[in-house]
Amino acid sequence: MNAPEPMLNQPMPHVMNTYGRLPMALSHGRGCWVWDTDGKRYLDALGGIAVNTLGHAHPKLVPALQEQIAKLIHTSNYYQVPLQEQLAAKLCALSGLNAAFFCNSGLEANEGALKIARKYGHDKGIERPEVIVYERAFHGRSIATLSATGNPKVQKGFEPLVEGFVRVPLNDLAAVEKVASSNPNVVAVFLETIQGEGGINAARWEYLQGLRRICDERGWLLMLDEVQCGIGRTGKWFAHQWAGIQPDVMPLAKGLGSGVPIGAIVVGPKAVNVLGPGNHGTTFGGNPLAMRAGVETLRIMEEEGLLANAAAVGEVLTGALRSGLAAEIADGRVKDIRGAGLMIGVELDRPCGVLLGRAAEAGLLISVTADSVIRLVPSLIMTAEEAQQVAALLVPLVRDFLAQG
Ligand SMILES: Cc1ncc(COP(=O)(O)O)c(C=O)c1O
């Protein structure tokens, strides 16, 4: 490359320097396309990291949110919030679960899930409840959720970590059985149905079915973090539905509000009465604006058949990447192309963070996670043609990168 490499180190002087940022700023978007402040156009295969379910400036979402802002943004949870009931009822209908609690982000939803697990344990007389968590998991960056996370880089510098977690490898049921037989304090199993930050690693269907059985036998809660893989991304409303099982506790966030901050914990019969008045709360959680965003997102997804679209366009994108990178797959430099629907990981044989900047230069927004996995989590409105364009932009970048040795 002759041009200087775009660096992920462009801080903003008055903003705390917690992110590696590219030297570019986005100005506006439409569908799967965004423009920067210099007028350059990008194809968005990142979707705000699996957030912008309906793309940018969706013509049905924008007027609904404008109308809501003009009516009520926030009240408080001192009062009934009818839109909370409406969104909760919809999430229950889609998941088969019983009730929802609303918060503002993924980590908050997970933090609430962990509180439910501990309280569930205490209610059963277990003084020091423990939760089974996973290698390579990511659940957020609060002290409890980073402790549950299986990535030392996220934890380093924030010790002491919260206690009460037992860690196992993914897709190894014997490891869970072993913990079950030796640890009477376990009250819950907590995992992402498909690990996102950890590199797009799916829990196998038989594994999820096995966990469901063990949780039923032992009286444990099965808690499935669907913050990244939920809300239609894999072609079902929730990724665990592919395995034909139901969790007891399901944290959601990201795509639920199509960009408006929102989180939810959806619970089934075993967990529905664990928390009572005074046990949990949040000032902003469940505010009318976020609730309207959730209600409209789910309504528009149904109206536009976005689950089927995610599944079909995901196939197109995966297929185009597999054929474009066939030689690199054959010689092992592309180790795997995996995922479900529009949650796709392309694992290379080496760290490839530099591709984020190179892709942006080429007019494509992507992310790289777990050092060597290119992650594509675009909006669920992406068309097959746009998916082909993503592949047409990405394939030469990957081939050139790998050819550099
Ligand atoms: C599976 C999963 N859980 C939790 C989180 C944390 O969500 P948030 O960044 O909204 O706190 C993330 C974020 O990437 C996630 O992917």
Side-chain angles (χ1 to χ4, degrees), residues 49 104-108 110 138-141 192 194 196-197 225-229 253-254 375:
I49 322 182
N104 311 287
S105 68
L107 85 78
E108 273 185 66
N110 286 334
F138 182 83
H139 297 296
R141 291 173 180 274
E192 297 154 85
I194 304 175
E197 305 305 299
D225 178 345
E226 294 247 359
V227 165
Q228 189 162 153
C229 60
K254 284 195 183 275
R375 174 176 45 172

Short mmCIF file of all heavy atoms in Angstrom, two decimals, residues 49 104-108 110 138-141 192 194 196-197 225-229 253-254 375, ligand 1:
data_model
loop_
_atom_site.label_atom_id
_atom_site.label_comp_id
_atom_site.label_asym_id
_atom_site.label_seq_id
_atom_site.Cartn_x
_atom_site.Cartn_y
_atom_site.Cartn_z
N ILE A 49 -22.75 -1.88 14.79
CA ILE A 49 -22.47 -3.12 15.54
C ILE A 49 -23.79 -3.81 15.91
O ILE A 49 -24.18 -3.91 17.07
CB ILE A 49 -21.59 -2.92 16.80
CG1 ILE A 49 -20.48 -1.89 16.58
CG2 ILE A 49 -20.98 -4.28 17.21
CD1 ILE A 49 -19.55 -1.70 17.77
N ASN A 104 -31.51 -0.01 29.44
CA ASN A 104 -31.02 0.88 28.38
C ASN A 104 -29.87 0.33 27.54
O ASN A 104 -29.41 1.02 26.64
CB ASN A 104 -30.55 2.20 29.02
CG ASN A 104 -31.60 2.73 29.95
OD1 ASN A 104 -32.63 3.23 29.51
ND2 ASN A 104 -31.36 2.60 31.25
N SER A 105 -29.36 -0.84 27.87
CA SER A 105 -28.19 -1.35 27.13
C SER A 105 -28.06 -2.85 27.38
O SER A 105 -28.76 -3.41 28.23
CB SER A 105 -26.93 -0.64 27.61
OG SER A 105 -26.67 -1.02 28.94
N GLY A 106 -27.10 -3.43 26.67
CA GLY A 106 -26.86 -4.86 26.82
C GLY A 106 -26.30 -5.21 28.18
O GLY A 106 -26.72 -6.18 28.81
N LEU A 107 -25.31 -4.43 28.62
CA LEU A 107 -24.73 -4.79 29.92
C LEU A 107 -25.75 -4.66 31.03
O LEU A 107 -25.76 -5.44 31.98
CB LEU A 107 -23.46 -3.98 30.22
CG LEU A 107 -23.53 -2.59 30.86
CD1 LEU A 107 -23.77 -2.62 32.35
CD2 LEU A 107 -22.22 -1.87 30.58
N GLU A 108 -26.63 -3.67 30.92
CA GLU A 108 -27.67 -3.53 31.95
C GLU A 108 -28.60 -4.73 31.96
O GLU A 108 -29.04 -5.17 33.02
CB GLU A 108 -28.50 -2.27 31.69
CG GLU A 108 -27.95 -1.02 32.29
CD GLU A 108 -28.91 0.12 32.05
OE1 GLU A 108 -30.03 0.11 32.59
OE2 GLU A 108 -28.54 1.02 31.30
N ASN A 110 -27.83 -7.71 31.06
CA ASN A 110 -27.09 -8.84 31.63
C ASN A 110 -26.88 -8.70 33.13
O ASN A 110 -26.94 -9.68 33.88
CB ASN A 110 -25.74 -8.99 30.92
CG ASN A 110 -25.92 -9.56 29.52
OD1 ASN A 110 -26.88 -10.27 29.26
ND2 ASN A 110 -25.00 -9.26 28.63
N PHE A 138 -18.69 -12.62 25.87
CA PHE A 138 -18.69 -11.17 26.13
C PHE A 138 -20.09 -10.78 26.60
O PHE A 138 -21.07 -11.00 25.90
CB PHE A 138 -18.32 -10.35 24.89
CG PHE A 138 -18.27 -8.88 25.20
CD1 PHE A 138 -17.12 -8.31 25.75
CD2 PHE A 138 -19.36 -8.07 24.98
CE1 PHE A 138 -17.08 -6.96 26.08
CE2 PHE A 138 -19.33 -6.71 25.30
CZ PHE A 138 -18.19 -6.15 25.85
N HIS A 139 -20.14 -10.18 27.79
CA HIS A 139 -21.44 -9.78 28.33
C HIS A 139 -21.51 -8.31 28.70
O HIS A 139 -22.55 -7.86 29.19
CB HIS A 139 -21.79 -10.64 29.54
CG HIS A 139 -21.94 -12.10 29.23
ND1 HIS A 139 -22.93 -12.59 28.40
CD2 HIS A 139 -21.22 -13.18 29.61
CE1 HIS A 139 -22.82 -13.91 28.30
NE2 HIS A 139 -21.78 -14.30 29.02
N GLY A 140 -20.42 -7.55 28.52
CA GLY A 140 -20.48 -6.12 28.83
C GLY A 140 -19.30 -5.68 29.67
O GLY A 140 -18.41 -6.47 29.98
N ARG A 141 -19.31 -4.41 30.04
CA ARG A 141 -18.13 -3.82 30.67
C ARG A 141 -18.40 -3.21 32.04
O ARG A 141 -17.64 -2.39 32.53
CB ARG A 141 -17.52 -2.79 29.73
CG ARG A 141 -16.89 -3.43 28.49
CD ARG A 141 -16.44 -2.40 27.49
NE ARG A 141 -15.84 -2.99 26.32
CZ ARG A 141 -14.55 -3.34 26.20
NH1 ARG A 141 -13.73 -3.18 27.20
NH2 ARG A 141 -14.08 -3.85 25.07
N GLU A 192 -24.05 -16.64 25.54
CA GLU A 192 -24.58 -16.08 24.30
C GLU A 192 -24.96 -17.25 23.40
O GLU A 192 -24.16 -18.18 23.23
CB GLU A 192 -23.50 -15.26 23.58
CG GLU A 192 -23.00 -14.04 24.33
CD GLU A 192 -21.57 -13.68 23.92
OE1 GLU A 192 -21.41 -12.96 22.92
OE2 GLU A 192 -20.62 -14.13 24.60
N ILE A 194 -25.13 -17.18 20.23
CA ILE A 194 -23.98 -17.12 19.32
C ILE A 194 -23.05 -16.05 19.86
O ILE A 194 -23.45 -14.88 19.99
CB ILE A 194 -24.39 -16.74 17.88
CG1 ILE A 194 -25.45 -17.70 17.33
CG2 ILE A 194 -23.17 -16.70 16.95
CD1 ILE A 194 -25.99 -17.32 15.95
N GLY A 196 -20.68 -13.15 19.92
CA GLY A 196 -20.40 -12.11 18.93
C GLY A 196 -18.98 -11.61 19.02
O GLY A 196 -18.14 -11.91 18.16
N GLU A 197 -18.67 -10.89 20.11
CA GLU A 197 -17.33 -10.32 20.26
C GLU A 197 -16.27 -11.42 20.27
O GLU A 197 -15.13 -11.19 19.86
CB GLU A 197 -17.23 -9.51 21.56
CG GLU A 197 -18.27 -8.41 21.72
CD GLU A 197 -18.29 -7.44 20.56
OE1 GLU A 197 -17.26 -6.80 20.34
OE2 GLU A 197 -19.33 -7.32 19.90
N ASP A 225 -27.97 -14.91 26.54
CA ASP A 225 -27.68 -13.53 26.14
C ASP A 225 -27.90 -13.42 24.63
O ASP A 225 -27.08 -13.90 23.84
CB ASP A 225 -26.24 -13.19 26.53
CG ASP A 225 -25.81 -11.78 26.13
OD1 ASP A 225 -26.50 -11.16 25.31
OD2 ASP A 225 -24.75 -11.34 26.62
N GLU A 226 -29.01 -12.80 24.25
CA GLU A 226 -29.32 -12.61 22.82
C GLU A 226 -29.16 -11.14 22.44
O GLU A 226 -29.82 -10.65 21.52
CB GLU A 226 -30.72 -13.13 22.51
CG GLU A 226 -30.85 -14.65 22.67
CD GLU A 226 -31.10 -15.40 21.37
OE1 GLU A 226 -31.20 -14.76 20.30
OE2 GLU A 226 -31.16 -16.65 21.43
N VAL A 227 -28.29 -10.45 23.17
CA VAL A 227 -28.09 -9.01 22.92
C VAL A 227 -27.66 -8.77 21.48
O VAL A 227 -28.15 -7.85 20.81
CB VAL A 227 -27.06 -8.44 23.92
CG1 VAL A 227 -26.55 -7.07 23.48
CG2 VAL A 227 -27.67 -8.35 25.32
N GLN A 228 -26.75 -9.61 20.98
CA GLN A 228 -26.23 -9.39 19.62
C GLN A 228 -26.93 -10.27 18.58
O GLN A 228 -27.20 -9.83 17.47
CB GLN A 228 -24.71 -9.62 19.58
CG GLN A 228 -24.08 -9.22 18.28
CD GLN A 228 -22.57 -9.02 18.32
OE1 GLN A 228 -21.91 -9.19 17.32
NE2 GLN A 228 -22.00 -8.65 19.44
N CYS A 229 -27.24 -11.51 18.95
CA CYS A 229 -27.75 -12.45 17.94
C CYS A 229 -29.28 -12.46 17.86
O CYS A 229 -29.84 -13.06 16.94
CB CYS A 229 -27.23 -13.87 18.22
SG CYS A 229 -27.72 -14.50 19.83
N ALA A 253 -30.92 -6.31 23.66
CA ALA A 253 -30.59 -4.86 23.56
C ALA A 253 -30.37 -4.56 22.08
O ALA A 253 -31.25 -4.84 21.25
CB ALA A 253 -29.37 -4.50 24.40
N LYS A 254 -29.22 -4.00 21.75
CA LYS A 254 -28.78 -3.69 20.39
C LYS A 254 -29.92 -3.45 19.39
O LYS A 254 -30.43 -2.34 19.31
CB LYS A 254 -27.84 -4.79 19.89
CG LYS A 254 -26.44 -4.69 20.53
CD LYS A 254 -25.44 -5.52 19.77
CE LYS A 254 -24.06 -5.52 20.38
NZ LYS A 254 -23.22 -4.41 19.97
N ARG A 375 -16.09 -9.26 11.06
CA ARG A 375 -17.49 -9.47 11.47
C ARG A 375 -18.41 -8.59 10.63
O ARG A 375 -18.21 -7.38 10.52
CB ARG A 375 -17.66 -9.13 12.93
CG ARG A 375 -19.12 -9.17 13.38
CD ARG A 375 -19.29 -8.92 14.85
NE ARG A 375 -18.50 -7.82 15.34
CZ ARG A 375 -18.60 -7.32 16.57
NH1 ARG A 375 -19.43 -7.87 17.41
NH2 ARG A 375 -17.86 -6.32 16.95
C1 LIG B 1 -23.66 -10.57 23.54
C2 LIG B 1 -23.47 -9.21 24.13
N1 LIG B 1 -23.88 -8.99 25.38
C3 LIG B 1 -23.74 -7.78 25.94
C4 LIG B 1 -23.16 -6.73 25.27
C5 LIG B 1 -23.03 -5.40 25.94
O1 LIG B 1 -23.96 -4.53 25.40
P1 LIG B 1 -23.80 -2.95 25.61
O2 LIG B 1 -22.59 -2.54 24.83
O3 LIG B 1 -25.08 -2.39 25.08
O4 LIG B 1 -23.64 -2.73 27.07
C6 LIG B 1 -22.73 -6.92 23.97
C7 LIG B 1 -22.08 -5.84 23.23
O5 LIG B 1 -21.38 -6.02 22.28
C8 LIG B 1 -22.88 -8.19 23.38
O6 LIG B 1 -22.46 -8.44 22.14
#
